[in-house]
Amino acid sequence: MRYSQFMLPTLKEDPAEAEVISHKLMYRAGMIRKLAAGIYSYLPLGLRVIQKVERIIREEMNRAGAQEVLLPCIQPAELWMETQRWEEYGKDLLRMKDRHDRDCCFGPTHEEVITDIARREIRSYRQMPLNLYQIQTKFRDEIRPRFGLMRGREFIMKDAYSFDADEAGLEKSYQEMYKAYRRIFTRCGFTFKVVEAETGLIGGTASHEFMVLAQTGEETIVSCQSCDYAANIQKAEAKRTRPRAKGPGKTPNPLKKVETPDMKTVADVTKFLKVRPRDLVKTLIFETDQGVAAALIRGDREINQTKLGTHLGCEDVKLASDDVVLGATGASKGFAGPVGLSVKIIADYSIEPMVDFVTGANEQDAHYINVNLGRDVKVDQFADLQMVREGDLCPRCGKSLSFFRGIEVGHIFKLGTKYSKALKATYLDENGREREIVMGCYGIGVGRTAAAAIEQYHDEDGIIWPMPIAPFQAIVVPVNNKIAALMKTAEGIYRLLSSNGVEVLLDDRDSTPGVKFKDADLIGIPLRLTIGEKNLKKGLVEIRRRKNGETTLIEKDKVTETVSALIHEEMEASLQG
Ligand SMILES: [Zn+2]
């Protein structure tokens, strides 16, 4: 490809609205342009990267035995009503009416459509296992689209759905996808972690997220330093440690109310009462779709609301408003306590061994001291509710846990029979008995994967594409277009590399070397071949590697073999992770 004929509108300035590095660089490198909030056009350079990611995905999905289909973007409301999701999905679902006034939506996901196919086509256990996938444009009407391709409203996604006769079959299909995903992200050149994720209300037994590690990642990943335990922060558990109780055999002291004027925070109260934060029990009041509930946790720890929601089986859990706290406890926030509280009380395991602790007294400017479980507090349930902290101990091996930042690029899910039940997708087993199909679903954000690569690989000059998904593998830069010999050599090298299967861009623009070098760095091409007058007189060409700035001089007639060897080396390196 010749730069002069290629639509590659690079920019010097970051777009004002771009908050994350991948959004800035995709814009500046002329990969994408915005049409409307969260809706982007892919320009030629951007599309080349997308297509490379898609190719890797297709190869690995096919290799894992999945078959490609293409489902419609527009879906009828009736299907979504069968699974109740027409109501449940809320405003994220882009709804519309056709000319006959029939409701439909632009699919944010395809469980309904694929299960409809399954219920019509799958009759017998002999037709399974079956895994169908597509690479498709989806639409999710995010309230606040941001971060460019990271959180757009319209996005390209690979989604796959497996159909099995039973749980054992699903387990096998799931493991196949797990392995395929590992290969996909390895082949893209990523440093990534596979983490256990929350299955939430969708239920099922397992869910894993594939996280690309990047400082700028939105998600916190918890990972053991010594074993392979890794989990999303929302799901992560720590080994339960028993805090030292006050001396063995000590009888609890009598409950006592003390004045704590205007002491609303753990820090204020513990300082005032001369105790440690871990000697206090925080009482947090939550509003849930099952009513008001109180969660108890040790004063030095934080509640993980996702865990609380999962434990309660509630989709919607939020900290109660001042009015609700007042109504439930009789006091303002900061003075809530479990003694005499009439709402449901769920306590984190961390308070189980505590004796003579401090809590709010459900009364303005007052706390209790010497509170004890059983005698003073009736806990309805104990559960793991705490947010894991860096340095907590691994639930598997007991060694220290570390935190990483990551970007979710893939998610695999055991769905079970949620959709086959709702849509009555059944088959006949070997005894002629009708049973529900057991499903799994498996997603990869394609645009997000490209964006994540930029988040992981960039520097102050621009993108540093890993070789396997680079839009071009090499760029040939003649430093001065006016010198015929330089141009002739550059043309020759360009043609030679192209005919040898190298994806090469020739910067034939009549620009200064500075401009050409800047653009080459910005768009992140892994290998830059510079054709300069001084070197050429000695029959030499300079090769510079984008990833480390390393330059070497090679003989002009060794260009093809050197470039091929470097491409091969970088492809292999990405495979080794
Ligand atoms: Zn461990």
Side-chain angles (χ1 to χ4, degrees), residues 234-296:
Q234 300 307 338
K235 160 99 179 169
E237 294 168 26
K239 188 179 171 188
R240 279 186 235 161
T241 49
R242 307 215 130 219
R244 251 171 307 160
K246 284 187 181 175
K250 186 177 184 302
T251 40
N253 287 308
L255 182 70
K256 191 179 165 196
K257 193 186 290 178
V258 294
E259 280 187 27
T260 49
D262 218 25
M263 305 282 166
K264 288 181 188 163
T265 66
V266 172
D268 289 344
V269 174
T270 52
K271 197 174 161 203
F272 183 72
L273 296 174
K274 297 191 173 56
V275 294
R276 301 166 303 173
R278 62 184 305 157
D279 298 323
L280 178 143
V281 167
K282 281 193 281 196
T283 305
L284 293 143
I285 308 296
F286 288 92
E287 288 175 63
T288 78
D289 36 76
Q290 294 175 8
V292 176
L296 309 186

Side-chain angles (χ1 to χ4, degrees), residues 223-230 393-401:
S223 172
C224 178
Q225 292 176 355
S226 104
C227 76
D228 60 4
Y229 177 74
L393 303 182
C394 172
R396 300 236 177 101
C397 76
K399 294 275 165 37
S400 202
L401 292 173

